[in-house]
Amino acid sequence: MDGEKQHLLTPTREYRTYPARFYILLSFSMLSFFQSLVWLTYSPIADQAEKYYGISEATTELLLNWGAIIYVATVPAVMFISNLKNGMRISVLLAAFMISFATFLRCIPSFAPGYFFEGGWSDTDGRSSVATFALSLVHIAQIINAAAGPLVCATVTLVSSTWFPINERTTATAVAVLFNNFGAAIGFIMMPQIVVGFRDMPTLLYVHAACGFASLLSILAYFPNAPPTPPSPAAQEEGCHQGQTFKEFLKDSRAAMSCVPFMLIANGYGLMSGVFNAWSGILSSILSGQYDDNQAGWFSFASTIAAIIGGLLIGPVADRLPVVQRNFKATLLILLVFCFLCFVWFTLSFPVSGVPAVLPSNFWTVAGSITLSGTFMGATYPLFYEFSVELTYPVREATSAGVLTFFTNIWSLVFLFLAPALPHDIVNTLMALAAALCLLLVACARESYRRRAFEQRCVHQRIDINNVVDQH
């Protein structure tokens, strides 16, 4: 490709890393954390939210589902924005402003008179104008925060590639991806502790607004688009081709969508992670017959934390072991096999379509199957992102990550639409089936490491250039 050939002729003599990269990763990851926290606001405290706003369970579910709906609608625009000149900085600043503004909007109704009365915002004559105003602001705020989702989720590999060297990229990607999951995990635990009764709702909204504003300040304080000197050949290539036109963006998108191995990977990841996200959201209902809400909540929390631990463990391993760097597909297949077996273990621990449970079930076996499945699944997340970049290079990182997360949210919506009509035991079976299909799709994908090959050629040519310069 023309750009690749040009940089192979003129590689930089030196690649550098800066301590500021850790601040960049932390501030970006915390922004992603808060976006997820705000998205999940009402689900862990659904009963109190329904009392406070005088809304139905269906409305509470819609406030959550705005996340996937708006993500699918806005991710193409985010992919384009991220590839503009200074696109990463623009995307992150825009996300920070949107999240902060959304949390502020939700606080406005709390200042209206008469909101502390039994029955929340509804009155005896039907929904008042104040109630309509309050609920409208809540929906608008959730939509704005949902639109910020692609800005922090589709740019994770762009951040790691721009700021981190080759031997730290997967770890940086793991941190950025999994902090979004961590926001949801903390939300499940924190929000019921703050909102004991519906009158406590304003306190939670003020806490979220303060967190959103703090995150905005951290981004405004320091978040350049790129370091002065690139940390790797791929980062140099990205920096030299900033300012993508709309025509170039469409060409990049077509290139990604026409890459068969990548589309297999994207659909496999999207299917498994999308179904897993929806399955985790109804896990308490699945377990309600045998475990109380508190135990079911801790199971969900343990699954999410296990996924985070799994991802954080695989990052350094992939960065430091050449055998993993050259075998993303094999590593993914091994992790997916164990993940599938854990979901089968969980599924067979409960009755299925009237057939008694095949495996013995108690608190510890359920906890073990959920925790281990979360660990293996979390370990696949950063590998899917990095493998996608390798398969589609020189397509921009934000484009491949955008397509990857697009399919996640598509499958989440499909599963959320189907789940209410299905028995809970069938839902468990579908989760195991999704893991099996993901395993099959990954197995069918032909692997290639185009970015790594490009960087190795650049490094070798740089050594040759340095030898010539030194001789003179």
Side-chain angles (χ1 to χ4, degrees):
M1 298 182 186
D2 295 340
E4 183 175 320
K5 292 178 181 177
Q6 176 184 351
H7 286 287
L8 283 176
L9 293 175
T10 58
T12 183
R13 290 195 65 199
E14 181 183 10
Y15 300 113
R16 291 187 57 188
T17 58
Y18 298 84
R21 70 187 185 277
F22 298 113
Y23 176 86
I24 294 294
L25 180 60
L26 178 62
S27 57
F28 177 83
S29 299
M30 290 306 299
L31 184 66
S32 181
F33 172 92
F34 290 132
Q35 191 276 331
S36 180
L37 192 70
V38 173
W39 163 70
L40 195 69
T41 299
Y42 301 105
S43 294
I45 50 169
D47 291 343
Q48 306 306 329
E50 290 161 17
K51 290 179 183 178
Y52 181 69
Y53 293 108
I55 57 178
S56 65
E57 181 181 352
T59 302
T60 306
E61 292 176 353
L62 177 59
L63 293 174
L64 179 72
N65 292 339
W66 279 130
I69 295 170
I70 301 301
Y71 196 107
V72 169
T74 57
V75 70
V78 169
M79 290 158 56
F80 175 65
I81 292 171
S82 300
N83 291 326
L84 295 173
K85 185 176 182 179
N86 296 318
M88 185 176 72
R89 175 174 167 78
I90 293 171
S91 298
V92 175
L93 279 172
L94 184 59
F97 275 109
M98 290 171 69
I99 295 168
S100 183
F101 182 61
T103 57
F104 170 76
L105 276 184
R106 299 189 310 178
C107 292
I108 293 176
S110 300
F111 299 109
Y115 69 92
F116 278 145
F117 59 84
E118 192 64 33
W121 287 93
S122 59
D123 58 19
T124 55
D125 298 324
R127 186 166 298 282
S128 65
S129 59
V130 174
T132 303
F133 171 71
L135 190 57
S136 298
L137 285 184
V138 171
H139 278 290
I140 293 171
Q142 291 302 104
I143 289 172
I144 292 173
N145 181 73
L151 292 166
V152 295
C153 292
T155 53
V156 289
T157 47
L158 179 59
V159 171
S160 62
S161 179
T162 301
W163 282 91
F164 287 82
I166 297 172
N167 64 340
E168 294 179 2
R169 274 196 308 234
T170 307
T171 301
T173 298
V175 171
V177 170
L178 294 165
F179 256 68
N180 193 264
N181 295 35
F182 190 46
I186 293 299
F188 270 111
I189 299 300
M190 181 191 78
M191 284 182 264
Q193 303 301 318
I194 296 177
V195 184
V196 179
F198 79 91
R199 299 173 189 272
D200 300 319
M201 183 65 70
T203 302
L204 176 65
L205 300 180
Y206 299 152
V207 169
H208 282 183
C211 291
F213 186 65
S215 187
L216 172 61
L217 290 180
S218 72
I219 299 297
L220 290 174
Y222 182 76
F223 204 98
N225 191 69
T229 303
S232 68
Q236 180 190 8
E237 173 78 0
E238 181 74 25
C240 291
H241 285 272
Q242 284 191 11
Q244 194 177 45
T245 65
F246 185 69
K247 184 177 180 179
E248 291 170 332
F249 164 70
L250 292 178
K251 182 179 178 181
D252 248 14
S253 301
R254 284 195 297 268
M257 300 289 279
S258 62
C259 179
V260 175
F262 169 64
M263 292 305 293
L264 290 172
I265 292 293
N267 275 281
Y269 172 80
L271 175 62
M272 187 177 69
S273 61
V275 173
F276 179 76
N277 291 341
W279 175 79
S280 298
I282 62 173
L283 186 58
S284 58
S285 299
I286 293 174
L287 300 173
S288 60
Q290 299 188 32
Y291 302 96
D292 58 40
D293 291 342
N294 183 57
Q295 290 174 316
W298 278 106
F299 283 142
S300 298
F301 179 75
S303 176
T304 305
I305 293 298
I308 294 170
I309 293 173
L312 294 179
L313 288 176
I314 199 66
V317 172
D319 282 331
R320 286 165 174 77
L321 292 183
V323 66
V324 178
Q325 294 171 0
R326 295 191 297 265
N327 293 280
F328 278 164
K329 177 179 175 179
T331 307
L332 279 170
L333 289 174
I334 292 170
L335 292 170
L336 289 171
V337 166
F338 283 110
C339 188
F340 168 70
L341 292 176
C342 289
F343 282 124
V344 170
W345 176 16
F346 179 84
T347 301
L348 296 181
S349 298
F350 296 89
V352 179
S353 299
V355 179
V358 176
L359 300 176
S361 174
N362 56 51
F363 179 89
W364 295 110
T365 60
V366 172
S369 60
I370 290 177
T371 302
L372 288 174
S373 63
T375 302
F376 291 121
M377 173 165 282
T380 67
Y381 288 170
L383 297 183
F384 271 116
Y385 276 85
E386 291 295 312
F387 195 25
S388 296
V389 175
E390 296 289 347
L391 290 170
T392 58
Y393 192 81
V395 170
R396 308 293 180 86
E397 287 89 349
T399 301
S400 60
V403 174
L404 198 68
T405 53
F406 173 84
F407 280 105
T408 297
N409 285 274
I410 284 288
W411 283 110
S412 290
L413 287 174
V414 171
F415 192 75
L416 284 171
F417 177 77
L418 294 176
L422 298 172
H424 289 158
D425 54 354
I426 299 299
V427 172
N428 290 337
T429 305
L430 287 178
M431 184 64 251
L433 182 60
L437 289 175
C438 179
L439 177 63
L440 178 62
L441 290 172
V442 173
C444 292
R446 182 171 57 86
E447 62 184 331
S448 60
Y449 299 90
R450 301 172 67 177
R451 180 177 64 175
R452 188 167 296 279
F454 165 76
E455 291 181 318
Q456 288 174 345
R457 292 196 299 271
C458 282
V459 170
H460 291 156
Q461 185 177 7
R462 183 182 63 156
I463 292 173
D464 294 339
I465 289 176
N466 287 345
N467 288 337
V468 171
V469 172
D470 292 341
Q471 289 173 5
H472 287 76

